[in-house]
Amino acid sequence: MHPFKIRPSARQIPESNLYKDHISTMLKGVEETEIFSYKPLEILSHDGYRLYGKLYIQKANAPLFIFFHGYHGVAAWDGYGTFRFCKEHNYNILLVDMRAHGKSEGDITFGIKERYDCKKWVQYALELLGNNTDIILSGVSMGAATITMASALDLPANVKAIISDCCFSDGNT
């Protein structure tokens, strides 16, 4: 087991002052993402690791949000607001387990390799949902850094927007 894979379950919320006032909301988010119908997905990263995600289809031909969580995060926690937004507006959403998190393999590289994972998820989504699918990349913290770095890659024109929430920097900017 990778040393950063410290939570075998999204329901295992750390005992920390950071989370203590939000545990019930976080558990509600986990429950909602578990009971809502989804399709489990798996892709292979460019460097050979299995990566997992959950695809929630609200409406055929609707835009797709692809959400990337933060460091030590869980998509059901970090992406709950995006998940709810997508449900309310009939957008489709793919909640990704970033490498070395959840069911995904690999090592954490803080966006360096994850940006290529992002591009692979975009390509796979287009294979599944069709080449006319509009895609919105969304992420928080390390996930935000990932999608920001991925924006420098040759992404398909289907990527219409990038929502980067609390992207970190090296501290020198």
Side-chain angles (χ1 to χ4, degrees):
M1 177 188 271
H2 189 280
F4 291 114
K5 285 191 163 188
I6 56 175
R7 282 184 287 288
S9 164
R11 293 179 179 277
Q12 186 182 354
I13 298 171
E15 294 180 21
S16 160
N17 286 336
L18 178 66
Y19 298 114
K20 75 176 184 175
D21 294 336
H22 308 286
I23 290 174
S24 63
T25 301
M26 292 168 76
L27 289 174
K28 179 182 177 189
V30 170
E31 182 178 314
E32 196 168 333
T33 61
E34 288 175 348
I35 62 172
F36 199 81
S37 178
Y38 66 87
K39 178 179 181 177
L41 300 180
E42 178 182 332
I43 63 171
L44 201 58
S45 71
H46 74 282
D47 52 350
Y49 293 108
R50 286 192 188 116
L51 305 174
Y52 292 87
K54 293 178 179 180
L55 177 63
Y56 300 84
I57 299 293
Q58 301 283 334
K59 183 179 173 186
N61 302 318
L64 173 69
F65 272 72
I66 304 178
F67 181 82
F68 296 84
H69 60 76
Y71 177 66
H72 284 226
V74 173
W77 303 348
D78 294 352
Y80 182 59
T82 303
F83 178 82
R84 292 282 313 267
F85 175 86
C86 289
K87 276 184 60 181
E88 291 169 11
H89 297 280
N90 290 315
Y91 290 114
N92 301 321
I93 185 168
L94 169 57
L95 296 177
V96 171
D97 281 351
M98 292 185 62
R99 57 174 58 214
H101 291 80
K103 291 184 175 182
S104 290
E105 300 174 340
D107 295 313
I108 297 169
T109 66
F110 298 98
I112 301 299
K113 292 183 180 178
E114 290 86 351
R115 64 184 160 166
Y116 300 110
D117 301 343
C118 175
K119 185 175 180 178
K120 292 273 292 210
W121 279 115
V122 169
Q123 293 166 331
Y124 186 63
L126 292 174
E127 289 173 23
L128 281 176
L129 302 175
N131 286 327
N132 293 325
T133 304
D134 289 338
I135 295 177
I136 298 99
L137 299 177
S138 179
V140 63
S141 191
M142 185 177 72
T146 295
I147 64 174
T148 300
M149 287 185 226
S151 72
L153 302 176
D154 186 25
L155 295 175
N158 303 67
V159 177
K160 302 298 184 185
I162 294 176
I163 303 169
S164 179
D165 182 4
C166 303
C167 184
F168 61 81
S169 73
D170 65 2
N172 294 320
T173 56

